[in-house]
Structures are given as C-alpha cells and as structure tokens.
Amino acid sequence: MKNINFPEISFPIQGIDSVPMPQMVRIRQKFEDDKIEDITSHLQQKLEQSKMAANAKGKRIAITVGSRGIPHNAEIVRTICDKLKEWGAKPFIVPAMGSHGGGTVEGNLEIINGYGITEEAMGVPILASMEVVQIGSINDAVGTPVYCDKYAAEADGIVLYNKVKVHTDFKGEHESGLLKMMAIGLAKHKGCSMFHAQGFDTFAKRIPMTAEVFLSKLPVLFGVGVVQNAYDEISEIEVYPKEKIIEGDKELLQIARRRFPRMLFDNIDLLIVDRIGKNISGEGADPNVTGRGFMPYFKDDFHTKRLMIRGLTEQSHHNACGLGLADITTRKCLNSVDWESTWVNLTTNTMIDGGKIPMYQNNDYEAIRVAIRTCTKIDFKKARVARIRDTLSLSELEISTSLIPDIRDNLNVQIISDPYFWDFDEEGYLADFE
C-alpha cells in the first residue's frame, strides 16, 4: 500500500468568517421498493427452469465473480455452486474484475473474500490468475483482441454472473452487466487495458461486438443477471441460456435504469458524499446521481456547484477512483488512499483525470465552509446543501432548510426531523452518516 502523508494546511481565506453552517433536516425519498424476499429459493427455481442440468453434468464449470458490491453476494454464488454440484458438475470460481484490486491476484482475492466468497464458505475452489488467452478479435477500427481468463477459457463451461446497472462513463443498450463481464471482467488487466485504449465513447458499440465473439468461441452455459432496487436490495434475478444472454442483458438494463435512485430535487450549492468506493460505483460516486463524471453525458443529470467527498468505503480497499471529481475533501480522506492501487486502475481505464487530487482542508468543518465560501452569487446564510451516505443510499439524506420549498409539495419526499445543526467532534469531523 502506497500512501502520501498530506500535512495540516492553513492559509487565509477572505470572507470565510461570514459563512455559517447551514441548518439541516433529514428527509426520506420514496422509490419502487419491491424486492425478492427469499433469494436462495428464487434463484434455485430460476436455475431449475433453465433446464441446464444435462448440459452441466460432469463438466468443470467456471463461475465469474466481479468486484461490484451485490447484496447477498455470497448467498447467490453459493446457491449457483450448490446447484451445479447437484447437477453433477465440478464448479469453481474465477475472480473477474478487469484491473480492480490493483491488477493483482492478491488484490482480486482480497475483494471477493471481503464479500464472504471464500473457498471454505462456497465449498468450491477459487482459481485466481491474471493470465489470459486470446480467443479472437472484433471488427473495430483496430481489431481489438478478445481475451479470457486462462482458467475460464480451459473450463468445460462458463457461468456469467454479474449485476446489471447503468454505467458511470457511457450510455447504451448494454452498460454494466453480463456483456461487460465478457468484454472486460474476464479479460483481466491485460484485456481490460487494451479494450479501454479506444475510449469510453466506443463502449456502447464494442461491448456487444466483443460479447458476440466471446459467446461464439467459448462454452458459456448460462448467465445470471441481478438488478437492485433503490434501497440496495435485489429486485430481479434472471437466468438466461447462452442464446438469450445478449437480449436478457438489454432487458435488465432497462429495468435497472427505471429503478435507479436519484435526488428528487436539483440545483444545489454543495453536495456532500460521506463515502465513495468501487463497491458503490465504478467511479466511486455514481455520476448518474451526482452529475459529476469524466464524460459529458452526465452533466444534465444533477447540478451542484461544489462536490465534497469525505471518505472511502472499507470495501474499496483504499482505491480512491472518483475522488478526482470532488472539488474538496479532507486531509484524513487523502491520507487513507492507496495511490498505487488507484493509479493502476485509472491508467488501465485511461481516465487519469480521476487521479487528480482535490483541494483539501484539515477537517469536515473547514472543508464545508470553504466549499460554500467559493460558490459564487449565493447568499451564504441560505446555502443549498445536501448530504448523502453514498450514491447507493438515497432513501434517507440531509438537506438544508433552504431546500424545503423545493420538496414540500413532492408526494415522494417526506421531512422526518425537526431542523438541527450538525455536531462536529473536537477534531472538526462529522460522525458518519447513519
């Protein structure tokens, strides 16, 4: 782990004493909340309905596990493993996350083990390697090669398992999901780097092209796609046979886009995000929520003059991808970053802007005041401020009282507290959002 020790900092800021802390209220936003109550039974039924038992019997089958956080992740993977063994197959798990985890075997294992996906818990081997084999190429401008993890390529069958969600860097009929698992997740660090070399503006076209090559060359048995609702619970699990994976991935993305949580107000002065991480979003904080991304597609999704990021999730393993989108952060946040792991990820996906270091202050109190002070054409006493735990947690959040007129008549927003001022500890930090 490579840290940088950022020192305490002090410099004069004219007018900072005229910036008061905003008065806040807690609100609840309402979204579609249906979910699958019994994950194991639901998935077992879907697997039985797929009628894949005969195709799996006696085969060594690789199951992909990525770096994205998925509720009940270990339960889902264990259910797939158990069903394959029941069918007479010999399943094993392959970490499939491109360059995440620092592009190393150890980093890959640390991520999936952190989700409770271990050999002991799953009852099957985990075969982790960064070695890949080329299985073909696509007909794009440069003939991009298509790679697959060595262990998966040598298996008798492959089960593609992944969350389907809107992506943080491009928009298309296929974004994050089963097709991206084939194009990037299983391509490991080498293939991921080569795929990203043509830029995110080509992804919407090239991911389906890569998936078609992958499916034609390798013995994919079926795909398991998962969609989460706005409350970070699983609302859909579908099992698709090989010939239905492309169509199914598209259908699930449409559902995921509809279910995606957003702020039910807009045009604020400061958005505070308590934590970012790769388990939350590819960019740490989802630009579909914040309106801040490295590509221009997200600038109209949400509008904030200043973005403050307070820290990283434990599951990010100190990878600070996305921190460069912030206008301001704190010394404590910067000192927690593994810059080597972060920059490996960013050079792989070519988005080195994400490695920029935002302005920092010594604590939350100072950072919030500087963020508000540097907003132009506003009344500091009526600053429009919102605070969220992360971009997956938008059911309850904090807004300043100046935003109440914006949400008062919205039936999907409820004010659930009296006005209050934040409590800072003796070091000037807020308690983590609960």
Side-chain angles (χ1 to χ4, degrees), residues 25-264:
V25 293
R26 196 174 180 105
I27 66 170
R28 181 177 294 130
Q29 298 189 131
K30 182 179 180 181
F31 306 101
E32 293 181 57
D33 61 359
D34 56 299
K35 64 179 181 179
I36 298 171
E37 296 291 346
D38 188 334
I39 299 294
T40 298
S41 295
H42 181 92
L43 179 53
Q44 286 175 338
Q45 182 180 21
K46 290 287 184 178
L47 289 167
E48 286 294 340
Q49 291 173 349
S50 73
K51 302 185 185 303
M52 286 289 155
N55 293 336
K57 187 175 181 179
K59 294 180 178 179
R60 292 183 66 253
I61 297 175
I63 305 166
T64 67
V65 176
S67 58
R68 295 288 182 261
I70 301 174
H72 312 285
N73 204 353
E75 180 183 354
I76 293 171
V77 176
R78 178 65 192 240
T79 301
I80 297 170
C81 292
D82 287 349
K83 183 58 67 174
L84 287 171
K85 288 193 289 186
E86 180 185 318
W87 290 343
K90 300 173 183 178
F92 63 93
I93 291 167
V94 171
M97 58 189 75
S99 66
H100 296 179
T104 67
V105 168
E106 296 76 15
N108 280 197
L109 289 172
E110 184 179 7
I111 288 174
I112 69 169
N113 291 167
Y115 294 139
I117 299 172
T118 64
E119 289 188 343
E120 182 179 16
M122 299 298 103
V124 303
I126 297 176
L127 303 184
S129 170
M130 298 310 293
E131 188 175 349
V132 292
V133 296
Q134 183 176 348
I135 60 172
S137 60
I138 62 174
N139 187 26
D140 64 353
V142 297
T144 299
V146 179
Y147 291 98
C148 180
D149 170 87
K150 175 187 176 182
Y151 289 121
E154 293 174 347
D156 301 317
I158 300 172
V159 172
L160 302 168
Y161 161 58
N162 204 16
K163 174 164 65 177
V164 179
K165 63 181 286 293
V166 294
H167 199 270
T168 58
D169 291 301
F170 71 96
K171 296 185 179 182
E173 291 186 343
H174 302 276
E175 296 181 17
S176 283
L178 298 175
L179 271 61
K180 187 167 176 282
M181 176 60 75
M182 290 182 271
I184 294 174
L186 278 167
K188 299 301 182 82
H189 193 181
K190 180 177 181 178
C192 177
S193 298
M194 298 188 75
F195 194 90
H196 279 82
Q198 297 305 304
F200 279 108
D201 58 325
T202 68
F203 272 38
K205 179 179 180 181
R206 293 165 66 241
I207 282 180
M209 293 170 65
T210 303
E212 288 175 357
V213 172
F214 194 102
L215 291 168
S216 71
K217 298 289 186 178
L218 292 176
V220 174
L221 290 184
F222 57 87
V224 179
V226 174
V227 174
Q228 293 171 224
N229 64 23
Y231 299 93
D232 201 25
E233 290 288 350
I234 293 176
S235 54
E236 280 83 18
I237 301 178
E238 295 294 341
V239 177
Y240 297 106
K242 180 176 183 175
E243 65 275 10
K244 296 289 186 181
I245 286 176
I246 293 179
E247 177 185 346
D249 185 78
K250 178 180 176 180
E251 291 173 350
L252 288 183
L253 179 60
Q254 293 172 345
I255 296 171
R257 188 173 284 123
R258 188 191 77 228
R259 289 187 177 276
F260 190 80
R262 289 179 171 83
M263 257 87 79
L264 301 180

Side-chain angles (χ1 to χ4, degrees), residues 380-392:
F380 298 142
K381 295 179 180 179
K382 298 179 181 179
R384 295 165 59 86
V385 178
R387 179 190 177 200
I388 61 176
R389 184 185 189 206
D390 55 59
T391 53
L392 283 178

Side-chain angles (χ1 to χ4, degrees), residues 19-24 268-270 372 375 378-386 399-403:
V19 179
M21 279 292 149
Q23 193 176 39
M24 308 297 291
I268 66 173
D269 300 318
L270 170 61
I372 295 172
C375 290
I378 73 166
D379 181 344
F380 298 142
K381 295 179 180 179
K382 298 179 181 179
R384 295 165 59 86
V385 178
I399 63 170
S400 58
T401 53
S402 56
L403 277 167

